[in-house]
Amino acid sequence: MLMLIFRTFFYYVIVVIIFRLMGKREVGELSLLDIVVYIMIAEIAVLTIEDLDIFFGYGLIPMIVLLLIQRLTAWISLKSPLFRTWFEGKPSIIIAQGKIDEYQMKKNRFNFDDLLQQLRENGTESIKDVSYAILEPSGKLSIIERVNQSKIQGKINGLVLPLVVDGRVQDKALTELGESEAWLLAELKKRGYDKINEVSFCSIDVNDEWYVDKKNEK
């Protein structure tokens, strides 16, 4: 009995430490890998606790391996947008400028009952009140209700368009806007940024509002 209590306490502490090392993320924001790792760690802990014939520290090895896998993929995901899109998925626009995209709904196995339920949970009275509804990789539906349309709204296929990510210009975003890199640099200079590579992240939204974050700025 004492050994069972000791094992339970030991693995409780270990699991808490490992989850803390994985980083803080809300349950709804967990990636597929996070969920798989969490389930496997929990199973390993339970197995090691229940089987008193197994050395109590035996489960540490696979837990540490899983932690290293999770940290490695998180680092690669941070550095590679392509890997992040492939591994974690990307948001899907279910409603764009008030129009429902049935193809995206079918592709994501998202039906009208799901849509109406999440609209109700958001407090949205009618689909006609929705400007954009975006299905996030986590499965959560982000809903933006209609606002006064800006000049740039018709050019952006979404709510926010990233123009610079990790100091790299997003050429597809400029093409979507019909603008050039010279235009982007001129806009950044207006806002006090002389070089694109000194910008960590830059975006423009449907209301023509800019957000610019400088690298390593404190």
Side-chain angles (χ1 to χ4, degrees), residues 152 163 174 177 179-194 196 199 202-204 208 210 212:
I152 202 169
L163 300 176
L174 290 179
L177 288 176
E179 301 290 354
S180 64
E181 188 171 330
W183 167 83
L184 175 60
L185 182 58
E187 291 293 330
L188 288 173
K189 285 184 176 180
K190 290 180 185 178
R191 293 162 174 80
Y193 301 91
D194 295 326
I196 292 177
V199 175
C202 170
S203 66
I204 185 172
D208 202 12
W210 287 68
V212 184

Side-chain angles (χ1 to χ4, degrees), residues 11-202:
Y11 274 100
Y12 169 80
V13 174
I14 293 299
V15 170
V16 169
I17 292 173
I18 289 176
F19 283 5
R20 291 284 291 178
L21 291 174
M22 287 183 180
K24 298 179 180 179
R25 299 184 72 177
E26 294 182 9
V27 174
E29 296 177 350
L30 296 178
S31 67
L32 177 61
L33 175 67
D34 292 329
I35 295 173
V36 172
V37 169
Y38 284 8
I39 292 174
M40 291 184 68
I41 287 177
E43 289 292 334
I44 292 169
V46 170
L47 177 64
T48 312
I49 291 171
E50 289 181 342
D51 193 344
L52 298 180
D53 293 331
I54 299 177
F55 174 61
F56 77 93
Y58 188 76
L60 288 177
I61 297 174
M63 285 185 177
I64 293 174
V65 171
L66 288 171
L67 172 62
L68 293 176
I69 292 173
Q70 193 271 346
R71 297 286 290 185
L72 177 62
T73 54
W75 181 81
I76 296 174
S77 179
L78 182 65
K79 297 296 182 181
S80 172
L82 182 62
F83 178 84
R84 182 167 58 249
T85 299
W86 175 82
F87 201 81
E88 299 184 4
K90 62 180 180 178
S92 300
I93 300 175
I94 302 299
I95 299 177
Q97 298 181 9
K99 296 181 179 180
I100 299 175
D101 190 333
E102 289 86 356
Y103 171 76
Q104 287 296 333
M105 290 183 65
K106 291 178 181 178
K107 180 180 177 181
N108 290 277
R109 295 182 294 281
F110 192 78
N111 58 48
F112 281 97
D113 290 335
D114 297 327
L115 176 61
L116 294 174
Q117 177 183 339
Q118 296 213 34
L119 288 176
R120 289 194 299 270
E121 291 174 352
N122 186 65
T124 304
E125 296 182 358
S126 172
I127 293 179
K128 68 181 182 180
D129 297 327
V130 179
S131 180
Y132 288 92
I134 300 176
L135 187 62
E136 306 293 352
S138 64
K140 179 181 178 182
L141 191 68
S142 298
I143 302 167
I144 303 299
E145 298 189 0
R146 288 185 180 275
V147 294
N148 295 329
Q149 187 169 356
S150 65
K151 293 180 180 179
I152 202 169
Q153 187 167 350
K155 298 181 179 180
I156 296 180
N157 185 23
L159 299 173
V160 178
L161 190 65
L163 300 176
V164 180
V165 178
D166 290 332
R168 296 192 295 270
V169 176
Q170 304 301 295
D171 295 325
K172 287 185 178 180
L174 290 179
T175 301
E176 190 172 325
L177 288 176
E179 301 290 354
S180 64
E181 188 171 330
W183 167 83
L184 175 60
L185 182 58
E187 291 293 330
L188 288 173
K189 285 184 176 180
K190 290 180 185 178
R191 293 162 174 80
Y193 301 91
D194 295 326
K195 297 180 180 179
I196 292 177
N197 59 11
E198 71 181 14
V199 175
S200 173
F201 182 82
C202 170

